[in-house]
Amino acid sequence: MKVLCFGSLNIDYVYQVPRFVSAGETLAAGSLHRFSGGKGLNQSVALSRAGAEVFHAGAVGRDGGFLLEELQAAGVHTGCVEILEDVPTGHAIIQKTDSGENCILLYGGANRRITRAQIDRTLSRFGSGDALVLQNEINELPYLMERAKGLGMRVALNPSPMEDALLPLLPFTDYLLLNEVEAAQLLGSEGAPETMVAALRERLPGTTVLLTLGKHGSLFADAAQILRQTALPVQAVDTTAAGDTYTGFFLAGIFGGQNPAWAMEYASTAAAIAVTRPGAAPSIPSRDEVLAHMSESRPEACPL
Ligand code: RIB
């Protein structure tokens, strides 16, 4: 099966700060680094490093060539990425603290110039049995999702950033992968993770839900079961793309035929490794690294 990740490609500008800047304040950054990122690109890299055959679709400006090289180096097919002449590549301004926390400001750029013609061209290469992975950093998501469902593709959505415009799309997603903040926004109230997962399942009975809880692990819920996975204790350097790494490894496990408990362990091990390294896409580990780590701690884990 082929996995199409139709999503954002960003240039990440990461500023090291003593704390997040407040309204009206001027704060000096200790350093600036540029990385490849974007939730779409990060998830494509994670899916591919986790063992899936991945095609990335999206758009960059003339300044985004190194993002395509990052995807290609990870083994991702990039023939469905368009290079636009009149708009810059999307970018993210990321403040990162010493404890590895971040906050992100996005500029959409080329990510917001997806056309229905590009979607039609891209989807003509995919069909029933293939999967579509989406986030919320590009335009035309409703059209994209409707066309993919019409083709019989399985659809996974990471509703990030969360906004009300996504609500009508949720019943059509096969897999919904989100964090606690996004779950609270979606439900309109905060709650204990188990309560939120149950509420999401009640609202979306046809959807498998995966709730990530950072250092508190993750929860999975489908019609048959609710599972909890603990997170590995690590010293976080940079949490950027931890969720994207989890998403890519979890979905690669599921699409590769593994059971949910194994896919959760695979994903949480990958995310734990990613947060010990700087940057978004460059921090995502390889399948071999993750499997080696799993076999050290859990000898019974089996490869994809
Ligand atoms: O999830 C992390 C990503 O969010 C960053 O790489 C940034 O580009 C934003 O899209």
Side-chain angles (χ1 to χ4, degrees):
M1 87 175 272
K2 294 181 288 192
V3 180
L4 170 63
C5 181
F6 210 133
S8 58
L9 303 103
N10 287 338
I11 302 171
D12 285 358
Y13 297 100
V14 181
Y15 298 83
Q16 187 74 34
V17 290
R19 60 192 154 70
F20 299 142
V21 68
S22 308
E25 183 187 26
T26 302
L27 185 66
S31 65
L32 165 64
H33 289 100
R34 189 188 77 157
F35 294 104
S36 37
K39 294 184 200 307
L41 179 150
N42 298 338
Q43 291 177 25
S44 276
V45 168
L47 280 155
S48 184
R49 292 203 178 135
E53 186 183 14
V54 187
F55 296 73
H56 190 91
V60 292
R62 278 276 157 215
D63 53 343
F66 76 99
L67 301 179
L68 300 190
E69 286 165 19
E70 178 90 42
L71 285 169
Q72 289 156 3
V76 177
H77 303 278
T78 57
C80 300
V81 179
E82 306 221 332
I83 300 171
L84 307 179
E85 295 293 337
D86 58 339
V87 62
T89 300
H91 73 251
I93 304 288
I94 303 180
Q95 296 180 48
K96 181 171 81 69
T97 64
D98 288 341
S99 62
E101 284 184 307
N102 65 47
C103 63
I104 301 178
L105 178 67
L106 279 180
Y107 168 71
N111 295 312
R112 308 295 309 177
R113 296 277 293 271
I114 306 301
T115 62
R116 293 187 176 195
Q118 182 186 1
I119 291 170
D120 291 345
R121 262 195 312 278
T122 302
L123 288 182
S124 68
R125 301 170 59 173
F126 297 86
S128 173
D130 293 331
L132 174 66
V133 178
L134 298 170
Q135 316 76 31
N136 188 28
E137 291 185 344
I138 60 168
N139 59 312
E140 290 288 6
L141 279 188
Y143 181 75
L144 187 44
M145 196 178 270
E146 185 190 324
R147 289 273 291 106
K149 288 305 286 181
L151 288 170
M153 294 177 78
R154 278 193 277 176
V155 176
L157 174 67
N158 168 217
S160 182
M162 182 61 203
E163 57 176 344
D164 286 352
L166 289 178
L167 295 177
L169 305 183
L170 302 181
F172 304 103
T173 59
D174 299 288
Y175 299 93
L176 183 68
L177 301 103
L178 72 180
N179 64 26
E180 280 176 290
V181 174
E182 291 147 3
Q185 287 171 322
L186 195 162
L187 292 166
S189 64
E190 292 176 11
E194 288 79 2
T195 311
M196 289 204 285
V197 158
L200 288 168
R201 280 280 310 152
E202 199 178 309
R203 195 142 143 193
L204 305 166
T207 304
T208 295
V209 177
L210 198 294
L211 181 65
T212 56
L213 308 167
K215 62 186 176 191
H216 301 296
S218 50
L219 281 172
F220 167 95
D222 67 6
Q225 58 191 335
I226 295 183
L227 300 170
R228 180 182 268 280
Q229 170 74 44
T230 53
L232 295 178
V234 288
Q235 188 68 47
V237 166
D238 186 351
T239 55
T240 313
D244 299 328
T245 303
Y246 191 110
T247 294
F249 274 74
F250 175 79
L251 289 174
I254 294 292
F255 295 154
Q258 294 288 346
N259 65 56
W262 190 91
M264 290 173 87
E265 188 187 345
Y266 191 42
S268 68
T269 306
I273 296 171
V275 302
T276 64
R277 300 170 176 171
S283 73
I284 300 171
S286 70
R287 171 181 184 274
D288 288 349
E289 277 178 277
V290 176
L291 290 175
H293 210 289
M294 284 167 74
S295 67
E296 275 165 30
S297 49
R298 305 267 171 92
E300 75 277 14
C302 54
L304 284 174

